Structure formats: structure tokens, C-alpha cells
Amino acid sequence: MVVGFDATPDVTQDFTDNTEALSKGVRALHPGGGTAMFDALYYSCRDKLMKHEQTGPVRRAIILLSDGEDNLSHVTREEAIEMRNAPR
């Protein structure tokens, strides 16, 4: 899955194991404006990872690329981390 973010998260590619589709999702990213990084992480975990039905063994990783300065999130860093670690 590829999620871009500025003020809001934007899914450019949903879950897939197709590397070309993931590459297209990355190329489709066009963020701008502020940085709501913690909101994007929280959304990705709550609305995508936790609700995605598993059909077999799955490896999960989050690769987060940002300028590192969150200046628009409504959730805190701690809330985003807690959501990441929440049981499915």
C-alpha cells in the first residue's frame, strides 16, 4: 500500500504484492502544503492495516518518508505509535 500525505492522507495504491503497481503508486504521489505525518500513520493503521482481511501469512512493514517535521496532525506521536501497536 502507498499512502501520500500533506494535510490529509491519500492512498495512491491499495494493498498489493505487485511491485509495479506499488511503483506506480509512489510515482503518483504529489504531496504539498503542510505535513500531517502522525495523522497519516494513524489513518494507515486504523483504517487500512487493522481492517485488511488476511488470507494467509503476511509480512508487514511501514516505510515512512517525510521531511520529519509534523506541523498539522490532530493526533500526537504517541497516539500514532499506540495505533501502530494495537492488536488486530
Side-chain angles (χ1 to χ4, degrees):
M1 174 177 75
V2 178
V3 180
F5 60 91
D6 46 26
T8 59
D10 177 35
V11 177
T12 58
Q13 174 56 55
D14 214 335
F15 291 106
T16 185
D17 61 356
N18 180 319
T19 56
E20 182 57 33
L22 292 168
S23 180
K24 286 180 184 178
V26 169
R27 288 191 304 271
L29 294 173
H30 297 293
T35 304
M37 179 173 59
F38 302 139
D39 285 357
L41 180 58
Y42 189 92
Y43 159 80
S44 296
C45 293
R46 184 194 67 200
D47 293 353
K48 301 301 283 178
L49 289 175
M50 291 179 71
K51 294 181 180 177
H52 184 69
E53 191 171 318
Q54 290 181 304
T55 57
V58 175
R59 290 185 298 172
R60 294 174 187 226
I62 294 175
I63 301 170
L64 180 62
L65 304 175
S66 177
D67 62 9
E69 186 174 338
D70 186 305
N71 55 19
L72 284 179
S73 285
H74 295 95
V75 300
T76 65
R77 176 181 178 265
E78 290 73 23
E79 289 170 321
I81 291 170
E82 285 177 22
M83 182 54 65
R84 166 62 184 101
N85 294 326
R88 286 189 45 132

